[in-house]
Amino acid sequence: MNASLLCHVCCGECVAAILEPLSRFGRYAVFFYNPNIQPLIEFRRRATSVQVLADHEHLTLLMDGRYDPKDFLRRLASWDRPERCLSCYRLRLAETARVAAEKGYGAITTTLLASVHQDHEAVRRIGQEEAAARGLAFHYEDWRSLAAHGHEEAKRRLLYRQQYCGCLFSEEERFAPTRLHLYKGNDRGNGPG
Ligand code: SF4
């Protein structure tokens, strides 16, 4: 495969999942752009996991370290699923396409295609639309079967592994049904609720 590719990436675990398919491209880079990830410490953890992996694998990394949750929330079509996630995909893939066109890449793709939790067909459709709007191709591959490999690789490499999708809404959806908490004081139970 000889095409050049800019791959939007969301975390180290997902990049670890697709290292082999990425290596088939003649020229490729990974692009961290995820204004959806909140709060700040979580954002830094995921950005750092990508940085660590990129350094180790000698990947070309374009890092957008801007953290601006207000702007992200303003740009969502809705705060509810599924519209929220569709806006979120579009925001990230539109920026990936913009940067790819600016830097001379011929195609874009995303590690969202390696997630079993995302709306795969929506990612594909929006990726194709945003790539086409910039005169680029969207590289589609179903990488979901590599998710378990990414998980194992992240464990092996001691990379940070996230517990929820990214935005504060998804954090609530993940933890509200649980009684998980981090209180380390004089324990009088399992926290509020
Ligand atoms: S749940 Fe995930 S995909 Fe949906 S809006 Fe939140 S961060 Fe984006």
Side-chain angles (χ1 to χ4, degrees):
M1 206 179 293
N2 225 354
S4 61
L5 179 80
L6 186 63
C7 180
H8 163 261
V9 302
C10 55
C11 63
E13 180 172 336
C14 288
V15 183
I18 62 162
L19 283 174
E20 191 282 322
L22 277 184
S23 70
R24 291 189 235 130
F25 284 82
R27 173 178 174 244
Y28 68 93
V30 295
F31 176 48
F32 184 91
Y33 174 70
N34 300 287
N36 55 312
I37 299 172
Q38 301 152 10
L40 178 60
I41 294 302
E42 181 73 13
F43 181 86
R44 287 179 177 165
R45 283 175 175 145
R46 297 192 201 184
T48 302
S49 75
V50 170
Q51 183 78 63
V52 166
L53 183 61
D55 287 351
H56 194 258
E57 294 295 324
H58 308 292
L59 304 176
T60 302
L61 168 64
L62 308 182
M63 171 64 71
D64 189 328
R66 285 175 293 174
Y67 178 74
D68 190 349
K70 288 180 195 160
D71 183 58
F72 172 71
L73 293 172
R74 271 195 295 266
R75 293 170 73 179
L76 292 178
S78 164
W79 291 352
D80 298 315
R81 286 176 182 268
E83 292 81 7
R84 180 181 88 216
C85 299
L86 301 184
S87 314
C88 180
Y89 299 154
R90 191 172 294 284
L91 181 64
R92 291 185 280 169
L93 292 170
E95 181 65 2
T96 305
R98 188 192 69 74
V99 171
E102 184 183 286
K103 306 262 181 211
Y105 291 92
I108 63 166
T109 194
T110 173
T111 50
L112 293 167
L113 294 172
S115 170
V116 296
H117 301 293
Q118 305 299 340
D119 181 339
H120 196 85
E121 285 311 314
V123 171
R124 178 183 193 166
R125 175 176 55 77
I126 292 170
Q128 287 170 337
E129 289 170 2
E130 293 302 328
R134 297 280 178 179
L136 306 174
F138 181 72
H139 177 76
Y140 172 75
E141 248 184 279
D142 186 348
W143 287 320
R144 285 174 288 191
S145 63
L146 295 174
H149 170 65
H151 188 70
E152 289 309 311
E153 278 297 294
K155 275 206 287 192
R156 187 177 73 78
R157 294 166 182 263
L158 303 179
L159 294 173
Y160 174 69
R161 282 172 294 138
Q162 67 214 43
Q163 298 291 308
Y164 59 95
C165 189
C167 62
L168 287 180
F169 306 111
S170 65
E171 192 257 9
E172 181 187 4
E173 288 160 2
R174 167 67 181 83
F175 293 116
T178 76
R179 292 175 64 79
L180 202 66
H181 67 102
L182 294 175
Y183 183 62
K184 301 286 189 204
N186 221 355
D187 207 343
R188 301 180 61 197
N190 282 326

